[in-house]
């Protein structure tokens, strides 16, 4: 039998302490409003922790402000906009099971009733205090004969009820726990979505961070098939606060680290992670993927994904997303700035001035206008750089192993050698594939023009650093800007060592091509949104390893996601399971790539609870999950 739920109102059903908010409204024109509001909040906290009894706290608060009927009208509107997020997601549950739900509060019925009635809960299931009024209808105080204004008020109020089945109390304060403590309830859930009180948590039978967790515990209808508050997101390498906020708003548990983790360290931290966010330094190997049994998605908060074993991730049903466009502008601006700085020897002149040496000379200093820029890798960054450089008067050449459309007046080189022998400035913007290791070495430097400028803002292993150093020392390269290195420190605390240090007209930057606040904010928002969309809807738009499916909105259906080996007959076997279980299919979507098949099936809400097990048993199945 479904239990009876007795749910606290303040900081549980709504995300605030209503009486405190009422006080702020009432005090809005008081010159000491901030000081008084703090005093009221402190009294509330003491009562919730059990440091003072509730009647005392109520009386003390009413000594500090005098609400009016207009104030009550305003707080009612305010509270309707401040329902606890996980409750808002589950309004249908409250409406459907309202007969077994009671709302209890030391607050006041006058503002609680209009809020709770919209959930379908009947008036006689609302247990709360009431104001007292004078003949003019002015609020004069509160009814001291109401049990809820007294010591053990919630216990006394619950005693009069005749609930069905077990009684579960959900709340955030010590007065909620007292209902269980004095034998009037079977279970006390400490609710921590809005506020977490150590003294209350210590006494709880169970801790829940959302209403989804409560409904999940009793296998009741809910908005989330598996509560996000029970799912962990691990974000490494100082990923933007934008991403952290996005996940927290969705209710996920979020852990952040400002550095990368080695394989050994990640193996110790990955077992309970559902979503993993990394940047370029953290390697996701087959061994890590095998250990990550709960992992459903990986976000690369950068452009490249060569640090992730994409094949093994797909074979385990783990979706991978990246940010192919979000930091493009930042990288392009740095490249253009560095070309100008190198042609003017700005860094060497600046360093000399810091040492007291005046070296004013035009010799060896040039404008970038008219110079030939060679772009190796004509992807998102290369093409935007092409447009910006041409606007500055440069002649643009590019080389790419794939057929690419030239933008503006850019000229495509048929071979890498053609570009190397033609251009005055050469900049690398290729991906980090292993096949690109030492793409530029001694042979390639020899083919370049004397006095060339050379830039690498792509990946460190693409350039033979020793060969680069030799070319610089020989005078082949007049200036160089390097942002990426074969071996980079894992954190800012580690020292950096490179043979490039101390060489003339060399700009060394610590992998900051995309490290602008704008880029990191855009990346944080973009990748987190892709990950959340995948978790909430199954959408794989812009996934780099799973077939791409863009899905319509889910409307009152269960959505089954089936990831499988791309072999013949699986869709037929999936549909055979639905047919055998008499499940009505309302929509179905299929996409495959050379290795993986991805099927989304929307079915009517009435369905067999063993459906997941049956779908998982289909030969070739990689992963099955359900959304509703």
């Amino acid at each position: 039998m479904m239990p009876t739920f007795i749910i606290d109102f303040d900081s549980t059903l709504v995300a605030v302490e209503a009486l405190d908010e009422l006080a702020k409204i009432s005090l809005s024109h008081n010159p000491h409003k901030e000081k008084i509001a703090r005093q009221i909040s402190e009294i509330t906290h003491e009562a919730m922790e059990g440091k003072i009894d509730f009647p005392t706290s109520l009386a003390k608060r009413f000594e500090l402000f005098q609400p009016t009927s207009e104030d009550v009208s305003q707080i009612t509107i305010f509270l309707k906009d401040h329902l606890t997020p996980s409750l808002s997601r589950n309004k249908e549950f409250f409406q459907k099971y309202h007969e077994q739900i009671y709302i209890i509060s030391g607050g006041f019925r006058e503002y609680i009733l209009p809020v709770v009635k919209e959930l379908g809960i009947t008036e006689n299931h609302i247990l709360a205090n009431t104001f007292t009024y004078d003949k003019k209808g002015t609020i004069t105080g509160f009814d001291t004969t109401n049990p809820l204004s007294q010591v053990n008020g919630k216990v006394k109020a619950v005693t009069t009820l005749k609930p069905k089945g077990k009684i579960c109390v959900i709340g955030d304060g010590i007065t909620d726990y007292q209902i269980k403590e004095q034998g009037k309830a079977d279970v006390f859930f400490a609710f921590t979505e809005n506020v977490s009180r150590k003294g209350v948590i210590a006494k709880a039978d169970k801790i829940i961070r959302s209403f989804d967790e409560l409904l999940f515990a009793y296998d009741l209808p809910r908005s989330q098939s598996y509560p996000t508050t029970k799912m962990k997101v691990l974000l490494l390498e100082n990923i933007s606060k934008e991403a952290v906020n996005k996940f927290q708003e969705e209710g996920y548990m979020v852990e952040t680290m400002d550095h990368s983790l080695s394989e050994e360290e990640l193996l110790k931290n990955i077992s309970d992670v559902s979503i993993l966010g990394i940047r370029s330094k953290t390697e996701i190997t087959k061994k890590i993927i095998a250990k990550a049994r709960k992992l459903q998605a990986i976000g690369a908060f950068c452009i490249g994904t060569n640090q992730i074993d994409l094949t093994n991730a797909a074979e385990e049903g783990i979706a991978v997303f990246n940010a192919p466009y979000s930091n493009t502008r930042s990288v392009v601006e740095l490249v253009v700035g560095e070309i100008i700085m190198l042609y003017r020897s700005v860094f060497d002149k600046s360093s000399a001035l810091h040492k007291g040496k005046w070296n004013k000379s035009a010799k060896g200093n040039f404008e970038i206008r008219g110079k030939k820029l060679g772009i190796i890798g004509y992807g998102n960054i290369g093409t935007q750089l092409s447009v910006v450089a041409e606007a500055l008067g440069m002649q643009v050449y590019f080389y790419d192993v794939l057929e690419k459309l030239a933008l503006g007046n850019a000229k495509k080189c048929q071979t890498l050698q053609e570009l190397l022998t033609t251009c005055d400035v050469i900049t690398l913007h290729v991906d980090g594939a292993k096949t690109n290791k030492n793409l530029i070495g001694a042979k390639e430097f020899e083919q370049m023009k004397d006095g060339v400028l050379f830039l690498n803002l792509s990946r460190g292993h693409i350039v033979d650093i020793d060969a680069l150093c030799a070319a610089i020392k020989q005078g082949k390269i007049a200036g160089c800007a390097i942002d990426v290195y074969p071996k980079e420190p894992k954190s800012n605390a580690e020292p950096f060592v490179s043979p490039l240090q101390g060489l003339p007209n060399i700009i060394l930057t610590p992998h900051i091509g995309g490290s602008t606040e704008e880029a990191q904010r855009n990346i944080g928002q973009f990748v987190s949104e892709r990950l959340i969309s995948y978790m909430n809807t199954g959408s794989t738009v812009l996934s780099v390893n799973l077939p791409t499916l863009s899905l319509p909105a889910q409307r009152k259906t269960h959505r089954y996601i089936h990831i499988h080996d791309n072999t013949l007959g699986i869709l037929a076997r999936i549909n055979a399971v639905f047919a055998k279980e008499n499940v009505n299919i309302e929509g179905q979507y299929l996409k495959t790539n050379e290795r993986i098949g991805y099927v989304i099936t929307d079915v009517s809400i009435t369905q067999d609870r063993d459906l997941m097990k049956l779908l998982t048993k289909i030969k070739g199945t990689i992963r099955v999950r359900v959304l509703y």
Side-chain angles (χ1 to χ4, degrees), residues 322-436:
N322 68 333
Y325 315 109
S326 300
N327 67 357
T328 301
R329 181 69 184 190
S330 295
V331 177
V332 168
E333 287 188 5
L334 184 58
V335 170
V336 172
E338 288 182 331
I339 293 171
I340 294 170
M341 295 298 103
L342 289 170
Y343 262 133
R344 303 293 292 274
S345 300
V346 168
F347 281 81
D348 283 3
K349 286 181 168 62
S350 175
S351 180
L353 273 183
H354 279 287
K355 296 174 183 177
K357 185 178 180 181
W358 185 267
N359 183 20
K360 177 177 170 59
S361 172
K363 186 178 181 180
N365 293 267
F366 305 94
E367 294 180 352
I368 66 170
R369 181 174 50 179
K371 300 298 185 293
K372 296 176 181 178
L373 172 66
I375 302 172
I376 301 174
Y378 206 60
N380 297 323
I381 293 174
T383 51
Q384 188 168 145
L385 174 60
S386 174
V387 173
V388 173
E390 187 173 322
L392 291 170
M394 300 189 81
Q395 300 176 41
V396 178
Y397 296 78
F398 71 90
Y399 171 75
D400 199 296
V401 294
L402 300 176
E403 188 63 34
K404 295 291 181 71
L405 176 67
L407 300 183
N409 295 311
K411 299 178 179 65
K412 180 179 180 180
C413 295
Q414 298 304 314
T415 64
L416 178 59
Q417 182 177 357
E418 180 187 350
L419 182 142
L420 295 176
T421 57
T422 301
C423 295
D424 305 305
V425 183
I426 294 169
T427 179
L428 295 175
H429 300 287
V430 302
D431 64 36
K434 292 181 180 179
T435 53
N436 283 330

Side-chain angles (χ1 to χ4, degrees), residues 277-340:
I278 63 169
R279 294 176 71 183
S280 58
K281 292 181 183 178
T282 304
E283 298 281 337
I284 308 301
T285 62
K286 181 178 180 180
K287 192 173 181 181
I288 290 170
I289 290 169
K291 182 72 178 292
R293 303 316 305 168
K294 290 187 177 181
L295 190 62
Q296 298 200 46
I298 299 171
F301 287 74
C302 54
I303 294 176
T305 56
N306 60 290
Q307 71 277 36
I308 303 169
D309 188 330
L310 296 177
T311 300
N312 270 288
E315 290 175 352
E316 293 296 331
I318 300 169
V320 179
F321 297 87
N322 68 333
Y325 315 109
S326 300
N327 67 357
T328 301
R329 181 69 184 190
S330 295
V331 177
V332 168
E333 287 188 5
L334 184 58
V335 170
V336 172
E338 288 182 331
I339 293 171
I340 294 170

